Structure formats: structure tokens, C-alpha cells
Amino acid sequence: MLKRKMFQVTFGMLFTILIAITSACSQKEDTASSSAANGEQVKPKEITVSWMRDLGPSNPHAYYPSQLFSQSMIYEPLVEYGEGGEIKPHLAASWEVSEDGKEYTFHLREDVKYSDGTPFNAKSVKRNIDAILQNKTTHSWLGTAKLLDRAEVVDEFTVKLVMSEPYYPVLQDLTTVRPFRFLADAGFPEGDNTLESIQSPIGTGPWMLKEYKQDGYSVFVKNPNYWGEQPELDKITVRIIPDAETRVLAFEKGDLDLIFGEGSISLDEFTRLQKNENFETSLSGPLGTRNLILNSQNSKLADVRVRLALHQGFDKIAMVKGITSDVEQLATQLLSTDYPYVSKTFPGFEYDVAKAAAYLDEAGWAVPASGGTREKNGEKLSFELMYDTTDRIQKAMGETLQAEWAGLGVELRLTGLELTEQTKRFREGDYDMNFWFNSGVPYDPHTLVNAVAEPTFGVAEAHMNIEGKAELDKQIRQVLASVDVKRRQELYDQILEKVQNESVIIPLSYIRQFNVYQKTLDNVSFPESRWDHPFNSIRLK
């Protein structure tokens, strides 16, 4: 009896304690569930990345200082560039093209809102297109902007773009990051001249700008009104760190989760981090060409013999291998055969110091008896090369060219500039030599050849004094308007060969993008379009 009573008492106490514990646990779980439901005490999924320069005002219709990757986070296109160059629906669900190639009718998605909750519709598309057309000259490096006549509202969710003449790459141009993306009404300034300024960066994209401190940082959060698949991450902080070495130190310390983008760190640092088991790295395929561009508006460089001498007067193979550690590949022609309509492989110009010297002798540039820089009519054969101070590869290549050309009797002065100033001088033609990159997909080859013909961004200006410029411009106009694919191919062959032989643009290497990231990140990949952002797919492990 006594034992039984003791057992009953003991069991009763244990049962009471168990009930209490279970109740407490249940209450804790309910509290945690409630907190999660209310957005409290739940750690956001966030990462910190870096960029080498200020992101600017995030204006969808403007260029520097606005940065392409951040513009692509906020704003979206009518159509997107897919794998293999396939043009896919995006803000437009479908479209038709008229038989004469002049009218593009887009049927918009009906479930899209801007991040401020206002509707995206045909009226909004027209307002944005009208704002772009206010500054047609600035945007005319892109053929669609040059030839676009007007936008018409057909109905609430149907809009028509009317071209002044046929232009085959319209859909490819509409996939680009700028200027054909869309700003909400609340973002427009008075007078709608968005190239000058905007009120606020309000787009339809998966991200919106929450906080911005010039030259300090930018904070992006998910757009709660996003019509598409929401990103895995909740928040992205972009720290502005101009110095590449400081950027790497911050990453190794754990203050950064990801380093991405061309020129963000030196390729030597990339290969070093690639060997470090504590980090993850990835490398894309070739995306564009790193070039040196020579301005033929300079009377010395207007002589093709001088340009050919400079082209053949340095060891390109050794320079690319030494500076890029084989991460970038040697470029023998401006566009590789991976691009549409690039069917020919050009042999390139071999390194030949003797031939280079002979070209300069023939052009009348003689080495003084005392040696040193060549002279002609009392003038020295001296040039200035601009480079971006945040791009270590440009600086290293400039120093290599300086040393090698000195052996030919050519003086090269290096001038490091902030990108904004470098771009300004390039567009104004205020330079002798500059580093320049073709745009890559989805822009080329049509945007490249248009830039050669259309003055605005410095490329056409650099070709201004080459022999046969008028005929070259005529061929470019023909190829962009051609509806005959065979004829289009013939014209591209002729145009690209002419540009190759003139050596205004000297191809150096094929650029590849790379990512360096912490092991806590997963699904870090490269976007289909070179200038898009990489954040939507990233997950935290």
C-alpha cells in the first residue's frame, strides 16, 4: 500500500512537471511563430557586397555616374535576353512586328506594379519613351533610339513603337539595361527630362533602393509589389570601396560576402583567392573585348602607318599573359566568332619591332642622333593614354605599353582619371588614346558598328580621319536596315575587316567576369546579359 501510494504521488508529480514543460515549450513555439508571422525576431537574409565607385542616382535613362548593375536591380525591360540570344517575354507578354519592320506592337502584362504600388501600363511606357526621345542625340549610340519615331498607346495594356525606317536589332536593343527601362510617374521631374534628373528611383524590378549615402553605401530591399518570383535574399548592402586592395582585405576579414564585376580586384588577387580553400570562386566565359582606341583626330594618329606601328610595336601575348595571369584570353580581333554575323577569323597583327620601326621611318618620324623620342618637323612623337584609376589592369597595361613603345622612340604619358572624367573626355574627343570595351551581348555586333558611324560616344570620332570613312558609314547604314540575311552577312564581313585593318581599335584581350564569395553563399551565377546584376538567384546556406 505504501509503495503504491508513493508511486502514485511520484507519477503525479512527474506528470504535472511534464505538462508544465510541454505547455512552456508550446507557448515558446507559439511566440516564435507569432514573431515570425509579425516579422519580429527573424533575422533577415542579407549580404554585403562592394563596388568601386558611387552608384549614382539610379536613373534609368541616364549614364554615368549611374551604375548598370544597380539600374538593372530596380528597372526592367519589355523583353529580356535569354540563353543563346533568345529574346523572351518580360514586361511584355507577347509582341508582333509589321511586315515592313517599322512597327512593334507589345502586349503588356496586366499584373505589374511599380514598387510604389502604381500600375505599369501602356501610358507609362509611352511617357518613358517620350522622355528618352527628348534626348535622342545622347542615346543615338543605340540604333533603336536613333531611329525610333514615336510610341503610341493602343489600349491600356497595348503599346506600339514606330520606327522611321527598318532596323533589324530593335528587340535586342530593348533588352539592354539603359535607356529602355521604365520609371514610375512619381519619379519623373518637372518637364519629364529624365536625363537631367529624377525625383526618385521607382521601378518595377525585384529590388528597390531603401537608403543611399553618396560615396558611402547603398541599401537595397525586396520590392513587396514585385510581380515575378521574389529573390531569396531580403536585403543587399553595397559598400563603396574605391581601392581594390582594401576591398580584398574587407572580404578576407569577412566584412564582405561577395566581390563581383570586371576590374573589381586584380586578376592576381583573383587567382590567389581561387587557390584559397576558405572561399569560393567562379569564372564566366568571354563577354567582351578589352581594347585600346587611338584617336585619328590627332594628326599624328591620322596616319595609318603610325597606328600600325603602335599595333605591332608591343608584345601583346606576353602582356595579356603576364597581367591577366591567363584569366583573360588573347584577342586577335575586335569581336570573336561567338557573336552573330561574325563569320571571319582575322589573323591579327604579329609583334614585329622591326616592321613597326619601318612604318614610323616611312611616316617621317626619325630618331634623333642622341636617341630618345622620335621627332618630325620639330615635334615629338608623344601621346597621352587615359586610364581608369580604379581599374588595375588598365594601369598595368598602360605601363607595359609605355615601356615597350619607348624602345620604338614613342613617348607615352599615362593619365589616371576618375571614370566620369575619363568618359567625358572620351565623348568630347579630348584624348589621344583610351582604353575602351565593346558592349558584348546583347548589343553586338550591331551596336559596335553603329558606334563607329554615329558620333556621340567617342568611337565614331576616333575613326573620323580614316581613309574611306564615308563608304564605311554607308555600309553600316545598309547592314542595319537590311532585311536580306545573306546581304547582311556580306556587309558585316566587309565592315569588320575594314575596322580591323585600320587599327583605330586595337583588341587586347577577351574579358571574363568572376565572382569571389564566402562559403555561406549558394547558387552564385552569372546573368545572361553582361551588364545585368547577379543577385536574384543567390541563397544563404
Side-chain angles (χ1 to χ4, degrees):
M1 284 286 289
L2 183 59
K3 287 184 178 179
R4 186 181 300 169
K5 287 182 179 179
M6 289 178 65
F7 174 80
Q8 289 174 345
V9 172
T10 304
F11 181 81
M13 292 175 63
L14 288 172
F15 183 78
T16 302
I17 292 170
L18 181 61
I19 291 295
I21 292 172
T22 303
S23 176
C25 289
S26 176
Q27 195 172 31
K28 186 175 181 181
E29 289 174 0
D30 289 343
T31 302
S33 299
S34 177
S35 296
N38 293 324
E40 299 172 0
Q41 298 179 1
V42 177
K43 186 177 181 181
K45 299 175 183 177
E46 61 179 297
I47 63 172
T48 300
V49 303
S50 70
W51 197 245
M52 63 283 291
R53 59 184 67 88
D54 183 64
L55 302 188
S58 294
N59 184 336
H61 304 155
Y63 301 91
Y64 302 111
S66 292
Q67 298 296 295
L68 284 154
F69 86 88
S70 56
Q71 287 170 303
S72 74
M73 295 172 71
I74 300 171
Y75 307 103
E76 295 183 296
L78 291 174
V79 291
E80 67 174 304
Y81 190 88
E83 186 176 357
E86 178 188 5
I87 305 300
K88 300 166 63 177
H90 201 74
L91 293 179
S94 62
W95 59 89
E96 297 98 34
V97 184
S98 64
E99 289 187 9
D100 63 3
K102 291 185 178 181
E103 295 184 355
Y104 291 74
T105 302
F106 295 93
H107 304 281
L108 307 179
R109 295 184 63 97
E110 298 183 16
D111 58 346
V112 179
K113 292 181 179 180
Y114 286 101
S115 60
D116 65 353
T118 57
F120 170 80
N121 52 32
K123 184 179 178 181
S124 179
V125 171
K126 176 175 168 50
R127 186 176 186 182
N128 277 267
I129 295 298
D130 289 348
I132 293 167
L133 293 179
Q134 278 195 49
N135 298 285
K136 179 176 279 199
T137 301
T138 299
H139 302 305
S140 63
W141 65 278
L142 204 60
T144 296
K146 180 174 67 174
L147 300 175
L148 181 58
D149 183 62
R150 65 189 183 276
E152 297 177 356
V153 173
V154 178
D155 60 40
E156 185 178 5
F157 294 106
T158 307
V159 66
K160 182 188 294 184
L161 302 186
V162 181
M163 307 294 292
S164 60
E165 61 185 74
Y167 180 68
Y168 86 85
V170 167
L171 292 175
Q172 286 89 332
D173 282 357
L174 293 180
T175 69
T176 58
V177 172
R178 56 193 184 199
F180 292 110
R181 299 207 176 186
F182 305 97
L183 178 70
D185 286 344
F188 274 80
E190 185 177 351
D192 282 11
N193 190 348
T194 51
L195 185 66
E196 293 183 355
S197 66
I198 61 173
Q199 293 287 346
S200 183
I202 308 170
T204 64
W207 301 97
M208 57 186 190
L209 184 63
K210 180 181 179 182
E211 189 177 353
Y212 167 67
K213 181 178 180 181
Q214 186 172 357
D215 296 322
Y217 61 86
S218 293
V219 178
F220 298 86
V221 296
K222 285 199 292 192
N223 171 8
N225 294 309
Y226 188 53
W227 60 273
E229 183 179 354
Q230 284 279 3
E232 291 284 338
L233 298 174
D234 299 314
K235 177 181 175 183
I236 297 170
T237 300
V238 183
R239 288 179 53 195
I240 306 306
I241 306 177
D243 180 66
E245 291 182 2
T246 305
R247 204 175 300 125
V248 172
L249 289 172
F251 174 76
E252 292 183 301
K253 186 180 176 183
D255 293 338
L256 299 176
D257 297 292
L258 167 69
I259 296 178
F260 71 101
E262 298 159 20
S264 56
I265 60 175
S266 72
L267 296 184
D268 284 340
E269 290 284 21
F270 172 75
T271 54
R272 180 179 68 81
L273 293 171
Q274 197 175 31
K275 298 171 185 176
N276 191 323
E277 295 182 354
N278 294 320
F279 308 119
E280 298 284 355
T281 62
S282 54
L283 191 63
S284 76
L287 297 171
T289 310
R290 184 186 299 276
N291 306 286
L292 183 69
I293 192 162
L294 312 180
N295 188 1
S296 72
Q297 294 179 101
N298 179 310
S299 59
K300 303 169 193 174
L301 294 171
D303 190 331
V304 67
R305 294 169 296 186
V306 174
R307 299 198 302 270
L308 290 171
L310 296 174
H311 198 156
Q312 297 193 255
F314 70 99
D315 190 344
K316 187 191 301 185
I317 296 175
M319 183 178 78
V320 171
K321 184 179 180 65
I323 293 173
T324 75
S325 305
D326 282 332
V327 173
E328 294 187 4
Q329 302 164 337
L330 179 72
T332 58
Q333 60 192 60
L334 178 52
L335 297 179
S336 69
T337 53
D338 297 327
Y339 291 87
Y341 300 107
V342 183
S343 62
K344 284 189 173 183
T345 300
F346 301 106
F349 293 86
E350 294 183 356
Y351 174 49
D352 191 330
V353 175
K355 193 169 185 178
Y359 275 131
L360 295 177
D361 291 340
E362 184 183 335
W365 292 97
V367 178
S370 58
T373 304
R374 289 175 181 263
E375 297 179 359
K376 180 181 179 180
N377 299 327
E379 187 177 11
K380 289 183 177 295
L381 190 57
S382 177
F383 303 104
E384 178 196 40
L385 170 60
M386 301 189 299
Y387 69 90
D388 178 0
T389 53
T390 65
D391 190 326
R392 295 167 64 94
I393 297 172
Q394 287 188 24
K395 185 174 189 292
M397 287 186 170
E399 290 169 345
T400 299
L401 293 170
Q402 185 181 55
E404 294 210 48
W405 286 345
L408 278 176
V410 178
E411 179 184 65
L412 185 65
R413 308 182 313 277
L414 304 181
T415 301
L417 299 170
E418 293 295 322
L419 184 60
T420 303
E421 178 64 19
Q422 182 189 23
T423 303
K424 178 176 179 291
R425 286 186 56 182
F426 183 46
R427 294 170 78 171
E428 293 174 350
D430 180 22
Y431 73 100
D432 299 332
M433 301 180 187
N434 187 35
F435 287 103
W436 178 74
F437 311 87
N438 74 297
S439 300
V441 297
Y443 301 85
D444 290 326
H446 60 279
T447 299
L448 167 68
V449 299
N450 182 63
V452 171
E454 184 68 34
T456 294
F457 266 67
V459 181
E461 291 84 345
H463 287 82
M464 195 68 72
N465 290 328
I466 66 171
E467 186 176 351
K469 180 63 163 60
E471 177 62 25
L472 177 62
D473 290 350
K474 180 181 177 182
Q475 290 178 325
I476 290 171
R477 288 191 293 271
Q478 289 175 344
V479 76
L480 295 175
S482 176
V483 294
D484 183 334
V485 176
K486 182 178 179 182
R487 177 57 178 157
R488 194 183 298 162
Q489 183 64 69
E490 291 172 353
L491 286 166
Y492 266 122
D493 288 343
Q494 296 169 26
I495 292 166
L496 294 175
E497 184 170 10
K498 171 69 172 176
V499 173
Q500 174 86 0
N501 291 336
E502 287 298 327
S503 283
V504 168
I505 303 174
I506 299 177
L508 301 174
S509 59
Y510 295 128
I511 298 166
R512 302 167 78 183
Q513 286 184 344
F514 50 77
N515 293 323
V516 180
Y517 53 99
Q518 305 289 349
K519 286 183 175 290
T520 53
L521 302 191
D522 191 23
N523 206 31
V524 180
S525 59
F526 298 97
E528 292 295 339
S529 177
R530 174 182 176 187
W531 303 110
D532 216 328
H533 70 88
F535 302 124
N536 284 358
S537 65
I538 295 176
R539 295 192 298 263
L540 295 178
K541 291 181 180 177

